[in-house]
Amino acid sequence: MPSTMPMPIDSDAGRPRLAPHVRLTFDPARQRYVLLTPETVTVLNDTGAAILELCDGERTVAGILTELHARYDRVVDDEVRLFLTDLLAKRRVEVSDG
Amino acid sequence: MDRPFGLLAELTYACPLHCPYCSNPLNLGDYCDELTTQEWQRVLAEASELGVLQLHLSGGEPLQRRDLVEIVRSARGVGLYTNLITSGFGLSPRRAELLRAAGLDHVQISIQADEPTLADRIAGARSFERKKAAARLVKSLGWPLTVNVVLHRHNIDRVDRILDMAADLGADRIELANTQYYGWAWRNRDGLLPSRAQLECAEATVRARRGRLDGRIEIIYVVPDYYSRYPKPCMGGWGRRQLTVVPNGDVLPCPTAHALPLPRVSVREHPLAWIWERSPLFQRFRGTGWMPHPCRSCGRREIDFGGCRCQAFQLTGDAARTDPVCHLSPDHGLVAAAVRAANSDTQPARTPLTFRPHPDRPVKG
């Protein structure tokens, strides 16, 4: 279906943030970060949670990558972009330009 | 054992509307001894400890509970994502602001059609304009809004205009949910089940509109299982991801399981964790060990979990049979017959519908 085609994060200048109906929270029962929408729960790994915590609508994708590189030894930029692209397609994340 | 992700809290079965597709039980009067505010607060705290992350506040009409704001505040206090599933009736600007301040995360408003005459006829009450006002109020307060429209024979031909209405209201998401035949909807099935031609037309519209509306509004389409080859994975498996607490405190693996001949269990008598982990009700159809043929050897047994236990019981009288919706079920003829009737030229298009009544109940909260 056309709507499920991932829209690429076409520019590192985009500023991602969580969509209004989405909440990122720590689940004490499972000891994991989770992304919540009205009908879905996405259990995140630590890297996923770290990326999303940086999606504040102010940092650019480039800024997020810089921050991740400063924190972690092994960051694959394209994997971060792919992760965000997937969440954009699922409407968990929105991006404003420039 | 898995921990549950979601709790459906059916706070009350009181409702100002009379929709004939309602999935509430027929014996509404048996649920009038509603949990108190304090009892709900205890349930929410126990649910959170058990691993529940999402709370769906529903009914009936949850706004009929005077303590709804307090319940939302408690839910947020224990970290739950709170989702109000409402008709919009009773959502005054003041109440909406209080709910917003209490931390309510998301609002879903049901609307019966895209125009007042049909919408009010289906709802059995003048409600259309008030629902639209409630939807606008939700957006004006900056809440994410989902518009829910239950589809059936009488409104499914209007999907295009329904999508226009949702976009016009500023909805972030629209859920087009084909009727599921439980409770009052089961009683009214033959008057609600659409024809195959109606469905195909609606689905073509949804596909076309998904392309055009992409990026602006999310369209969720809930498939009609009577027309599917395989059953729905009801609740993601019995006692696996979700639980329901109904107005009187009974706990169910699925909101329509009260119809099954199984032992009841209540938060008034047991802690929620015991109910989830140990109660005979929650263990009865958990996993795959209970499955009959053809489910037992089916490659999809961990995908659809044998389908819906309530539907199996309704159609065959035995909750432990394969959901007859499945084309592999030995009882599939029961579903095929209903589908044939819905598609026959002699199907009375005007099969009379039974509208659900308003239960008499003492006001709580």
Side-chain angles (χ1 to χ4, degrees):
Chain A
M1 273 170 266
S3 67
T4 54
M5 288 289 289
M7 287 180 288
I9 298 269
D10 25 27
S11 151
D12 280 0
R15 299 173 197 276
R17 62 170 178 272
L18 295 182
H21 63 283
V22 176
R23 185 137 63 85
L24 174 68
T25 189
F26 185 74
D27 171 13
R30 296 176 183 80
Q31 290 289 305
R32 298 286 285 275
Y33 279 91
V34 288
L35 203 56
L36 303 174
T37 77
E39 281 98 27
T40 65
V41 176
T42 310
V43 180
L44 299 165
N45 60 24
D46 290 347
T47 321
I51 298 169
L52 289 174
E53 278 185 320
L54 294 169
C55 292
D56 56 8
E58 298 195 0
R59 283 190 181 82
T60 60
V61 174
I64 290 169
L65 291 170
T66 307
E67 182 74 31
L68 290 170
H69 280 288
R71 285 195 209 172
Y72 303 97
D73 288 339
R74 291 191 306 175
V75 177
V76 182
D77 290 3
D78 276 347
E79 283 181 8
V80 175
R81 293 190 189 101
L82 200 65
F83 176 75
L84 289 174
T85 299
D86 179 52
L87 289 174
L88 193 64
K90 291 179 178 152
R91 295 163 199 271
R92 311 276 202 276
V93 164
E94 298 175 345
V95 178
S96 55
D97 297 328
Chain B
M1 187 184 310
D2 293 303
R3 292 170 175 277
F5 284 106
L7 168 65
L8 173 66
E10 294 189 331
L11 298 177
T12 177
Y13 285 145
C15 184
L17 304 190
H18 306 283
C19 308
Y21 57 71
C22 183
S23 61
N24 282 171
L26 298 179
N27 53 334
L28 290 165
D30 293 349
Y31 296 87
C32 291
D33 183 17
E34 295 180 0
L35 294 183
T36 63
T37 314
Q38 291 73 25
E39 283 174 314
W40 274 115
Q41 287 167 327
R42 177 173 60 78
V43 170
L44 298 177
E46 290 183 6
S48 174
E49 274 175 42
L50 188 56
V52 167
L53 295 164
Q54 288 158 316
L55 173 67
H56 307 285
L57 296 157
S58 183
E61 172 48 67
L63 286 164
Q64 298 262 321
R65 285 282 299 216
R66 288 186 190 160
D67 54 357
L68 182 63
V69 172
E70 234 174 303
I71 289 172
V72 168
R73 196 178 296 119
S74 301
R76 282 304 307 264
V78 295
L80 299 175
Y81 183 104
T82 49
N83 179 21
L84 179 66
I85 299 172
T86 177
S87 69
F89 244 70
L91 190 67
S92 65
R94 162 134 184 89
R95 198 105 190 269
E97 278 163 26
L98 289 171
L99 286 167
R100 189 82 173 120
L104 182 67
D105 287 288
H106 177 268
V107 182
Q108 173 178 313
I109 296 183
S110 66
I111 304 188
Q112 281 65 22
D114 62 293
E115 58 93 14
T117 311
L118 178 61
D120 292 351
R121 183 160 67 79
I122 296 167
R126 277 184 68 149
S127 54
F128 181 71
E129 295 300 339
R130 288 173 68 176
K131 284 164 171 282
K132 281 174 60 172
R136 293 200 182 93
L137 176 60
V138 165
K139 287 311 295 177
S140 76
L141 289 172
W143 257 317
L145 170 69
T146 297
V147 168
N148 164 281
V149 180
V150 175
L151 299 180
H152 43 74
R153 167 176 284 272
H154 305 280
N155 65 359
I156 195 166
D157 298 328
R158 309 181 64 88
V159 161
D160 214 22
R161 282 165 284 190
I162 287 169
L163 288 169
D164 284 340
M165 172 188 69
D168 188 48
L169 290 170
D172 302 277
R173 307 159 80 244
I174 171 150
E175 183 176 274
L176 297 168
N178 278 284
T179 303
Q180 309 218 27
Y181 298 102
Y182 305 102
W184 296 87
W186 167 246
R187 171 173 282 193
N188 287 311
R189 184 190 69 181
D190 295 344
L192 293 171
L193 193 62
S195 71
R196 191 176 297 278
Q198 283 184 299
L199 264 177
E200 283 172 0
C201 186
E203 290 177 3
T205 302
V206 168
R207 281 193 297 275
R209 292 296 294 265
R210 270 196 174 132
R212 268 195 287 152
L213 289 169
D214 201 24
R216 285 194 291 135
I217 182 167
E218 181 180 2
I219 305 175
I220 299 129
Y221 179 77
V222 180
V223 299
D225 61 354
Y226 269 53
Y227 283 93
S228 303
R229 275 171 68 77
Y230 296 104
K232 57 183 177 280
C234 200
M235 309 311 288
W238 183 272
R240 186 162 166 269
R241 307 179 75 93
Q242 312 280 336
L243 70 167
T244 298
V245 178
V246 301
N248 67 352
D250 283 0
V251 190
L252 300 168
C254 120
T256 59
H258 43 64
L260 303 181
L262 293 173
R264 56 178 287 275
V265 65
S266 169
V267 294
R268 283 180 164 150
E269 286 144 34
H270 296 282
L272 205 57
W274 182 88
I275 292 172
W276 178 260
E277 289 159 12
R278 311 270 305 278
S279 70
L281 175 63
F282 275 76
Q283 295 187 74
R284 178 64 183 87
F285 297 115
R286 189 173 261 151
T288 55
W290 62 272
M291 284 182 177
H293 291 296
C295 297
R296 191 178 298 171
S297 56
C298 180
R300 293 178 57 88
R301 67 186 176 279
E302 304 263 6
I303 296 172
D304 55 37
F305 305 97
C308 173
R309 300 301 86 229
C310 304
Q311 193 146 268
F313 177 72
Q314 258 172 196
L315 287 161
T316 74
D318 180 358
R321 288 181 76 78
T322 296
D323 187 337
V325 155
C326 184
H327 73 291
L328 300 170
S329 155
D331 306 308
H332 184 63
L334 296 165
V335 170
V339 167
R340 251 195 325 276
N343 287 279
S344 87
D345 293 337
T346 55
Q347 153 78 17
R350 300 264 174 245
T351 303
L353 299 173
T354 306
F355 289 80
R356 68 153 272 179
H358 188 79
D360 295 320
R361 87 196 225 281
V363 176
K364 275 272 168 67

